[in-house]
Amino acid sequence: MLPLLRFASGILVGVVGVHLLKQAKAPEAVKSFAQKARSGLDKAGEELREATVSGLSAVEKSSAALRSKLSTTADSSEAATDAATTETATAPPADETAPNEKA
């Protein structure tokens, strides 16, 4: 029962503390510190955004290079397949009867 009483008293103290903090006027030093913290976080967010854009650009370029490499490989294999198909299409048809059935 004692841990439950400690937990309830901690919640009560927390609620009262938050209520008092909301009503209290913050000194100028705290306000200036908050502004500095916000500007620092904004600057870090901008740098993170720029790094993300840079990374995505690098991924885009490398995927485009791989895509072009694969498409040229696929084109050459398609050309080889087309050439083999053309050779079989131009070859005369083989006699479909078995040698022992010709007689």
Side-chain angles (χ1 to χ4, degrees), residues 88-96:
T88 58
T90 58
D95 192 13
E96 294 180 8

Side-chain angles (χ1 to χ4, degrees), residues 6-103:
R6 287 182 185 171
F7 179 71
S9 64
I11 289 177
L12 183 63
V13 169
V15 168
V16 170
V18 168
H19 184 66
L20 289 175
L21 283 175
K22 285 184 178 180
Q23 288 181 351
K25 301 269 184 189
E28 291 299 318
V30 173
K31 288 182 181 179
S32 68
F33 177 73
Q35 287 176 347
K36 287 180 184 178
R38 283 189 193 115
S39 67
L41 288 174
D42 290 341
K43 183 179 177 184
E46 286 296 321
E47 289 177 0
L48 180 62
R49 195 170 294 117
E50 289 174 7
T52 303
V53 168
S54 172
L56 289 174
S57 297
V59 167
E60 184 180 7
K61 288 178 184 177
S62 65
S63 65
L66 287 173
R67 187 180 305 115
S68 67
K69 181 179 179 181
L70 288 174
S71 67
T72 57
T73 304
D75 290 342
S76 65
S77 65
E78 285 178 11
T81 305
D82 290 342
T85 305
T86 306
E87 286 178 11
T88 58
T90 58
D95 192 13
E96 294 180 8
T97 59
N100 58 358
E101 292 180 2
K102 287 185 179 181

